[in-house]
Amino acid sequence: MSKNILVYIDHFQGQPLPASWEAIGAARELADEMGVGVSAVLLGSDVEEIASQAFHYGADEVLVMDVDALKDFIPEPYAAALSSSAREAEVLLLPTSGRTRELAAMVAVDLDTGLAPDVIAMEVEDRAIVATRPIYAGKLLTKVICKDRRPQILTLRSRAFSKPEPDSGRSGDVISFQADLGEVYTQVVGYGEAEGGVSLSDAAVIVSGGRGVSNNPGLEPPADITDEHEQEIWRAQQGFKLVTDLAEVLGAAVGASRAAVDAGYVPYANQVGQTGKVVSPDLYIACGISGAIQHIAGMRTSKTIVAINKDAEAPIFKLSRFGVVGDLFDVLPALTVAFKAELGK
Ligand SMILES: Cc1cc2nc3c(=O)[nH]c(=O)nc-3n(C[C@H](O)[C@H](O)[C@H](O)COP(=O)(O)OP(=O)(O)OC[C@H]3O[C@@H](n4cnc5c(N)ncnc54)[C@H](O)[C@@H]3O)c2cc1C
């Protein structure tokens, strides 16, 4: 089918992942350098609407398999369909997401080729893509290449590549295709809202709180909270309220360190780091977070890092562009007031 650079459009129930458009932008640059075109591939049910958006962001053609059997994301049929469309592609790019981690690996096995996951930069050398990706919890960057196999499969870290300006005048060919979806052993029986409901991965600005948000000994909990741990949680909730207030003014998502999550201050959905979400926002504000290597693994590629910490020796300052040595209970309310005034809110 496609002889081009193929980009998989990841979506959930008809909502495309913004990183899909970043992947099309990245594909466009590679394609121009390699003298080929950009095809997008769209799998699902009633998804044709998304195809027009793919053109706006730079696709030349969109391959669509629109059938009931692909209504919900199930790895086996999705992998079968994607493998069938990617067989002749030179490069297959996918935005990195929970779904594509599984999907890309299955397609790589199906097509007997290599996979570079969570890539943050790419260059072309003799038609091979040299992919840069973080390893060892982000301590090192490695360059990998898939030498002799095609397609070269890469998943691109969300927000590591810029999203092109959409051009609503662009269009192209929508090509329907069918593939043998094989045996399907699982089915989706329902969805539930995740606690917290934050979308950290796509956020341009993140304000994160750590264990420090509970450290305000002067703050007296109500008399009916007598248990020490309950008192700590109550203090943390007051601290996180300051984090959330600032996040609201900035239109930011709220993140957290694992210490804050383990202590029960906020749900796991908010955790940033090696065992949480990997994020790359334009601005990351770390409040009361020491900067342990496992936390840094999840946010070191943020474009601008700001740290607020009482301890001038905290490791997070080594990574920060701007640092405020101070008590977050003083600094955060002052920042929120200042941003409100600046942004006219
Ligand atoms: C296998 C493994 C995986 C892990 N995965 C993750 C992960 O995904 N994400 C993650 O975050 N961690 C992870 N960790 C835990 C990590 O090692 C650290 O324990 C954790 O990141 C520490 O969180 P913290 O910075 O909030 O707490 P601390 O290290 O306790 O730091 C609290 C900071 O708050 C400051 N502070 C205190 N009071 C105030 C105040 N009032 N105002 C301003 N500053 C204040 C202190 O000076 C201190 O620097 C992992 C650990 C392991 C072993």
Side-chain angles (χ1 to χ4, degrees):
M1 216 174 279
S2 160
K3 291 191 172 58
N4 304 320
I5 297 187
L6 186 63
V7 180
Y8 172 75
I9 308 295
D10 191 25
H11 62 92
F12 177 66
Q13 294 191 318
Q15 288 301 318
L17 204 72
S20 298
W21 311 138
E22 295 162 17
I24 289 192
R28 189 76 266 164
E29 284 184 21
L30 293 181
D32 291 347
E33 202 172 333
M34 294 164 75
V36 293
V38 175
S39 306
V41 56
L42 192 51
L43 309 176
S45 171
D46 289 330
V47 287
E48 290 228 3
E49 168 63 28
I50 305 174
S52 54
Q53 295 183 55
F55 293 124
H56 299 167
Y57 284 101
D60 299 315
E61 62 176 17
V62 183
L63 314 178
V64 181
M65 182 160 173
D66 196 316
V67 290
D68 280 353
L70 295 174
K71 181 168 173 289
D72 295 297
F73 176 80
I74 299 170
E76 299 96 322
Y78 266 67
L82 183 56
S83 297
S84 145
S85 65
R87 220 165 275 285
E88 290 173 38
E90 195 156 353
V91 179
L92 169 62
L93 300 180
L94 304 91
T96 306
S97 71
R99 288 178 291 274
T100 61
R101 275 194 185 92
E102 207 168 0
L103 183 59
M106 290 173 85
V107 173
V109 171
D110 276 356
L111 301 182
D112 196 16
T113 184
L115 162 66
D118 210 21
V119 168
I120 59 166
M122 296 184 286
E123 46 197 294
V124 185
E125 250 176 43
D126 295 334
R127 298 198 84 77
I129 311 296
V130 184
T132 304
R133 55 182 300 263
I135 54 165
Y136 298 122
K139 271 249 156 189
L140 272 184
L141 295 178
T142 180
K143 290 199 172 195
V144 292
I145 191 167
C146 174
K147 219 162 179 279
D148 303 317
R149 300 280 173 166
R150 294 294 179 263
Q152 309 169 71
I153 305 182
L154 304 94
T155 77
L156 308 187
R157 181 177 286 192
S158 179
R159 301 189 56 80
F161 298 84
S162 44
K163 188 164 83 171
E165 279 302 314
D167 171 358
S168 56
R170 273 189 106 259
S171 67
D173 294 330
V174 174
I175 300 167
S176 294
F177 75 98
Q178 295 297 322
D180 179 1
L181 300 181
E183 285 285 322
V184 180
Y185 304 109
T186 48
Q187 70 180 104
V188 174
V189 289
Y191 296 99
E193 280 278 313
E195 212 185 329
V198 283
S199 175
L200 279 173
S201 311
D202 302 328
V205 182
I206 295 175
V207 187
S208 273
R211 206 194 310 264
V213 298
S214 66
N215 185 21
N216 188 353
L219 200 62
E220 270 307 314
D224 58 329
I225 304 180
T226 49
D227 178 84
E228 242 176 61
H229 181 61
E230 295 287 310
Q231 291 184 341
E232 183 193 336
I233 298 268
W234 182 85
R235 284 201 182 89
Q237 282 165 348
Q238 313 314 305
F240 253 104
K241 171 88 176 56
L242 303 181
V243 170
T244 315
D245 286 349
L246 178 59
E248 251 176 51
V249 172
L250 296 176
V254 174
S257 72
R258 175 157 157 185
V261 171
D262 285 353
Y265 306 165
V266 279
Y268 170 70
N270 297 68
Q271 185 177 317
V272 171
Q274 187 182 327
T275 44
K277 302 241 164 63
V278 175
V279 297
S280 257
D282 296 333
L283 175 62
Y284 188 89
I285 306 181
C287 315
I289 292 178
S290 60
I293 171 74
Q294 297 88 353
H295 186 78
I296 285 174
M299 44 64 80
R300 73 179 317 142
T301 53
S302 304
K303 314 237 166 14
T304 301
I305 297 170
V306 176
I308 302 164
N309 199 302
K310 265 169 115 161
D311 175 7
E313 302 299 319
I316 190 82
F317 285 126
K318 293 207 176 85
L319 200 71
S320 309
R321 175 97 169 269
F322 302 101
V324 183
V325 180
D327 191 320
L328 67 89
F329 285 86
D330 300 326
V331 177
L332 280 179
L335 269 183
T336 303
V337 168
F339 274 118
K340 260 190 185 161
E342 183 69 27
L343 299 171
K345 290 194 172 176

